[in-house]
Amino acid sequence: MRLIKQIKLLSKIIKHNIHYYTGKFVYPYRVEITSTYLCNSKCKICHIWKYYQNKNNNISQELNLNELTKTFKNINKNLFYLAIGGGEPTLRNDLIQIIKSVTKNCPNLLYISMGINGLQTKDTVLKIRQILKELPKSIDLKLTISIDGPKQVHNIMRGINDSFTRSNATFNQLKKFETKYRNFSVTKELTICDENINELKNIDKYKDYIITFQNDSKFYMVDNNKKTGINKKLQYKITSQLIKNKNKFGIINLITNDFLKKSLLFQKNKLNIKCYSGRSTIFIDPIGNVYSCINQKVKFGNIKDNKYDIKKVLKKSNDKLVILNKCKDCWTPCEAYTTIIQNKVMLK
């Protein structure tokens, strides 16, 4: 089943490239929707949890279920991969209904991924169980739970005293679902940043984690001028060690390993790869603004102003895509994985 899905996705990418290089409009086949600014963590490397402390920001501005359904109906058969982010997605009371809506209105959907913090074990497990009961077997649900180092380090980074214990409890309970639901997987995710890098002495312990690096996107609302900066030499050493110990078999491992290898190049300002953000993948924030990626270099418009039609938003923004051809300011999994796949298909 998974091989069939990968072949379908590959054929979509090839068709996408043919249309793009022949001048035809192409829908992005991967859409990342940040479902909410609500968050029950108080992370040092992300201040989204402060968003509603600003009285000018109102949760009623976030895309509701009806608006998301209109968006899914418009993109329809063109969506193959949906990434759901936050904030904390599980804080949305209508998360189950959102998943139902996208599976109903996007018949070619193959993958749904979602990053969570796992702080609300009981509520999260109940929601994921219900989602899996109703999720078509043709669609894979991939979850990641943030665990950013040893217990004390993780708790300090996340700003919650028992975060490590609660997140691991959620992981352990969700892991049991993998036996019953072949289209489900849950993995721990480690974000390497200046707050934890000096504590990652036994990096081999994290070889089965999804590895990311701190993202300086303005979306995370962190004042980068107040940061001390990461130990670049140690970051390079840790990344190199991870590459040596990572599982090298399977398509997913090939992509994640390539991400780490190219991370070494990025860390030395030597990465030279064409970015496909804004073409293959787009980012939609909680209030409907459409960007090329989470780093928000290029804003295309708002789906609320375009009858919830991504095509209308993108067709108005062709001139803005030119900027992205020379964009080399970031290297994050959200966009990097798609870019790696796209370039491999193009034999680059």
Side-chain angles (χ1 to χ4, degrees):
M1 179 67 76
R2 287 185 177 174
L3 179 59
I4 294 174
K5 290 177 184 177
Q6 291 164 357
I7 292 172
K8 283 184 178 179
L9 182 58
L10 180 61
S11 65
K12 169 62 181 176
I13 294 172
I14 293 172
K15 185 177 180 181
H16 180 281
N17 288 340
I18 292 172
H19 284 182
Y20 174 72
Y21 285 103
T22 55
K24 293 182 181 179
F25 174 81
V26 285
Y27 269 100
Y29 52 82
R30 181 187 179 277
V31 174
E32 180 177 0
I33 293 180
T34 300
S35 56
T36 183
Y37 283 115
L38 288 173
C39 191
N40 49 351
S41 282
K42 295 182 179 180
C43 300
K44 286 191 172 185
I45 61 173
C46 173
H47 291 170
I48 285 177
W49 53 275
K50 294 182 179 181
Y51 186 81
Y52 287 117
Q53 292 179 8
N54 184 334
K55 294 181 180 179
N56 293 323
N57 297 328
N58 194 308
I59 196 169
S60 64
Q61 297 174 318
E62 292 191 355
L63 294 170
N64 59 39
L65 177 60
N66 183 48
E67 291 174 311
L68 287 169
T69 296
K70 289 178 182 177
T71 304
F72 296 145
K73 284 182 177 178
N74 280 322
I75 198 167
N76 195 256
K77 63 182 180 180
N78 298 288
L79 183 64
F80 279 61
Y81 193 127
L82 175 68
I84 301 175
E88 174 55 34
T90 60
L91 292 181
R92 281 201 63 141
N93 294 325
D94 57 358
L95 178 62
I96 295 171
Q97 287 71 35
I98 291 172
I99 302 293
K100 279 185 183 179
S101 177
V102 71
T103 57
K104 177 182 178 182
N105 293 295
C106 301
N108 287 331
L109 185 66
L110 297 175
Y111 299 99
I112 299 173
S113 66
M114 184 162 58
I116 63 176
N117 58 32
L119 288 179
Q120 294 183 303
T121 300
K122 184 177 179 181
D123 183 64
T124 299
V125 171
L126 285 173
K127 284 179 178 175
I128 299 303
R129 179 187 284 118
Q130 189 60 39
I131 288 170
L132 289 171
K133 281 182 179 179
E134 302 179 30
L135 188 70
K137 292 182 179 179
S138 59
I139 300 172
D140 276 7
L141 174 62
K142 299 180 178 297
L143 293 188
T144 56
I145 295 182
S146 299
I147 302 289
D148 292 324
K151 183 176 181 178
Q152 185 178 359
V153 174
H154 175 84
N155 289 344
I156 291 173
M157 279 187 61
R158 296 287 160 175
I160 306 292
N161 288 335
D162 57 351
S163 175
F164 184 87
T165 300
R166 290 159 66 181
S167 296
N168 273 290
T170 303
F171 174 83
N172 291 333
Q173 289 204 37
L174 290 176
K175 198 71 178 173
K176 297 175 183 177
F177 291 164
E178 290 184 347
T179 303
K180 183 174 181 180
Y181 300 100
R182 298 291 299 277
N183 58 336
F184 172 72
S185 65
V186 58
T187 310
K188 293 179 181 180
E189 181 173 316
L190 169 72
T191 299
I192 297 175
C193 59
D194 46 350
E195 279 82 3
N196 67 359
I197 191 166
N198 293 310
E199 305 299 328
L200 301 177
K201 297 173 183 177
N202 183 14
I203 196 62
D204 291 353
K205 179 181 177 181
Y206 306 102
K207 64 181 181 180
D208 294 324
Y209 285 45
I210 296 292
I211 303 296
T212 65
F213 300 93
Q214 182 174 349
N215 191 332
D216 292 334
S217 167
K218 64 179 183 179
F219 177 73
Y220 296 116
M221 301 171 57
V222 176
D223 185 354
N224 293 318
N225 293 321
K226 295 181 180 180
K227 289 171 56 179
T228 56
I230 198 165
N231 183 329
K232 296 283 187 181
K233 187 175 181 180
L234 184 55
Q235 182 186 33
Y236 193 89
K237 180 180 178 181
I238 286 175
T239 307
S240 301
Q241 191 64 35
L242 281 166
I243 292 170
K244 289 181 181 178
N245 296 327
K246 274 280 189 181
N247 190 332
K248 296 176 174 57
F249 299 100
I251 292 177
I252 301 300
N253 288 324
L254 286 173
I255 294 170
T256 56
N257 288 340
D258 202 14
F259 166 74
L260 289 173
K261 289 176 182 177
K262 286 181 170 57
S263 294
L264 293 178
L265 295 173
F266 179 76
Q267 290 166 26
K268 294 208 167 187
N269 297 315
K270 293 181 179 180
L271 181 63
N272 184 19
I273 187 170
K274 184 174 181 179
C275 178
Y276 286 87
S277 294
R279 301 176 182 85
S280 302
T281 178
I282 58 168
F283 171 78
I284 303 176
D285 75 10
I287 60 176
N289 292 316
V290 181
Y291 297 89
S292 56
C293 68
I294 198 169
N295 283 287
Q296 301 180 316
K297 300 293 183 186
V298 181
K299 180 180 174 181
F300 296 141
N302 191 293
I303 56 174
K304 294 179 181 180
D305 302 326
N306 292 273
K307 297 182 178 180
Y308 305 95
D309 191 340
I310 291 174
K311 184 175 182 178
K312 288 184 178 180
V313 177
L314 295 181
K315 277 205 164 184
K316 295 177 182 178
S317 307
N318 278 337
D319 56 326
K320 296 180 180 179
L321 284 170
V322 177
I323 301 171
L324 300 175
N325 287 329
K326 298 180 180 179
C327 178
K328 298 177 182 178
D329 295 338
C330 72
W331 188 243
T332 60
C334 300
E335 286 74 36
Y337 287 173
T338 307
T339 290
I340 288 170
I341 295 169
Q342 199 79 19
N343 278 275
K344 286 187 180 298
V345 171
M346 296 302 296
L347 300 178
K348 292 183 179 180

